[in-house]
Amino acid sequence: MLKVESPAKHLMAHGISTCAGCSMELAARYLLKAAGPQSIVVIPPGCAALLSGFGAETVVKVPVFQGNLENTAAYAAGIRAGLEVLGKEGINVVGFAGDGATVDIGLQALSAAFERGDHILYVCYDNEAYMNTGIQGSASTFPDAWTTTTPAGKEGLGKNMLEIAAAHRIPYAATASAGYVNDLARKLTTAVQAAREKGPAYLHISTPCPTGWRFDPALTIAVAKAAVQTRAWNLVEVVDGNWRLTVEVKDPKPIGEYLRLQGRFRALTPEQEAKLQQLVDREYEKLLAHLK
């Protein structure tokens, strides 16, 4: 008899209405497992909004508050302040938002929470576009990727959120991937502890989207792994200002092995692919400079 157990230990229902192959759901389950039942989660409108439920129904067993798109960090900071005034300890306050609500619209509120030193954990699930409103491009969209607002391919490099978070000198910041769940689980546990004891903690998770990235839902984990194996997405953590790679890819695969798994790059020319390879190599060299 096959027995299936949720990694979140029943803090989230088994059957929910995310898209097939959704890696945001996987990230959410591991987040709830790390944060535990003594947690309050703030979620803006987005793919994860279904976790906060509708009416009298919900899919999780912790309090979840759905705010506005731009102020997840502000709401989380307010909840934390309220708990402190009431003298309630041992409760984790978590923001769980997509790239649009983090890298674009919510960056100001997040920066302010970092600067104040609020004891909150902020987790960004990055599917590289505004997926639940029509696959519009964001500042996290990979260069030359198709979206409905970049039909000829995304121009520009976007923002490096790990560097932005680390520049605020917060206790803990890291990147993770749905394709490397052991690394993800450890970082979530570390981030929860850091937020509780030291101050703001930030985790930025690569969560490939089958719907928006145009690949078979069965390939979600393969796509996530390919991003790391080609160095298109690097797994790093910054603890008290000290950078380190948590998964080192010594013999990277060509970037094309990642790009060709996704329909959003089907119009890419060989020249564009070569430039993206140069970009990935250059960004990795910049990352190595942080490690010295």
Side-chain angles (χ1 to χ4, degrees):
M1 178 179 177
L2 178 64
K3 184 178 181 181
V4 180
E5 294 184 354
S6 165
K9 295 186 176 180
H10 311 297
L11 291 180
M12 184 190 296
H14 287 290
I16 63 177
S17 58
T18 54
C19 299
C22 176
S23 56
M24 176 279 292
E25 178 188 339
L26 178 67
R29 292 185 184 279
Y30 276 91
L31 170 60
L32 288 173
K33 180 180 180 181
Q38 293 298 106
S39 301
I40 299 173
V41 183
V42 180
I43 296 176
C47 293
L50 66 93
L51 303 182
S52 60
F54 179 79
E57 299 178 351
T58 182
V59 300
V60 295
K61 292 185 178 180
V62 299
V64 179
F65 172 70
Q66 185 177 151
N68 304 109
L69 192 60
E70 71 275 12
N71 50 18
T72 300
Y75 279 126
I79 292 170
R80 169 55 65 201
L83 292 171
E84 291 174 358
V85 168
L86 294 172
K88 294 190 175 183
E89 300 179 352
I91 299 175
N92 301 308
V93 181
V94 181
F96 187 59
D99 50 288
T102 303
V103 182
D104 291 339
I105 298 172
L107 185 57
Q108 180 178 356
L110 181 58
S111 176
F114 286 164
E115 182 182 353
R116 289 191 302 266
D118 296 319
H119 285 250
I120 63 172
L121 167 59
Y122 192 105
V123 177
C124 174
Y125 61 92
D126 189 352
N127 51 33
E128 300 185 11
Y130 293 80
M131 291 304 181
N132 77 312
T133 57
I135 318 176
Q136 298 91 348
S138 78
S140 274
T141 303
F142 202 82
D144 291 325
W146 170 91
T147 70
T148 55
T149 55
T150 61
K154 164 71 181 291
E155 296 182 359
L157 301 181
K159 302 170 189 174
N160 186 320
M161 273 303 298
L162 183 63
E163 289 188 340
I164 291 172
H168 286 77
R169 296 183 286 274
I170 63 176
Y172 187 81
T175 57
S177 169
Y180 288 77
V181 292
N182 290 337
D183 182 77
L184 170 62
R186 183 190 65 78
K187 287 173 176 171
L188 283 167
T189 300
T190 303
V192 168
Q193 183 176 2
R196 185 186 302 124
E197 298 177 357
K198 296 182 177 182
Y202 178 76
L203 192 60
H204 198 105
I205 309 173
S206 173
T207 54
C209 173
T211 304
W213 294 18
R214 303 298 197 244
F215 61 80
D216 188 320
L219 297 178
T220 297
I221 300 304
V223 171
K225 286 182 177 293
V228 175
Q229 292 163 356
T230 58
R231 292 180 178 168
W233 186 267
N234 297 294
L235 298 179
V236 186
E237 66 181 354
V238 186
V239 183
D240 295 325
N242 298 308
W243 292 63
R244 78 179 187 97
L245 281 168
T246 59
V247 175
E248 186 175 2
V249 180
K250 295 183 178 180
D251 187 20
K253 297 178 180 179
I255 188 65
E257 294 194 19
Y258 170 59
L259 303 176
R260 279 187 281 277
L261 291 172
Q262 307 162 59
R264 62 177 178 157
F265 293 108
R266 63 187 175 191
L268 209 64
T269 66
E271 292 76 18
Q272 287 175 307
E273 183 176 321
K275 288 182 179 180
L276 288 178
Q277 183 67 66
Q278 293 174 359
L279 170 64
V280 167
D281 294 341
R282 184 169 65 249
E283 289 297 305
Y284 188 76
E285 291 300 317
K286 287 173 58 179
L287 172 59
L288 292 180
H290 286 296
L291 306 178
K292 296 179 181 178

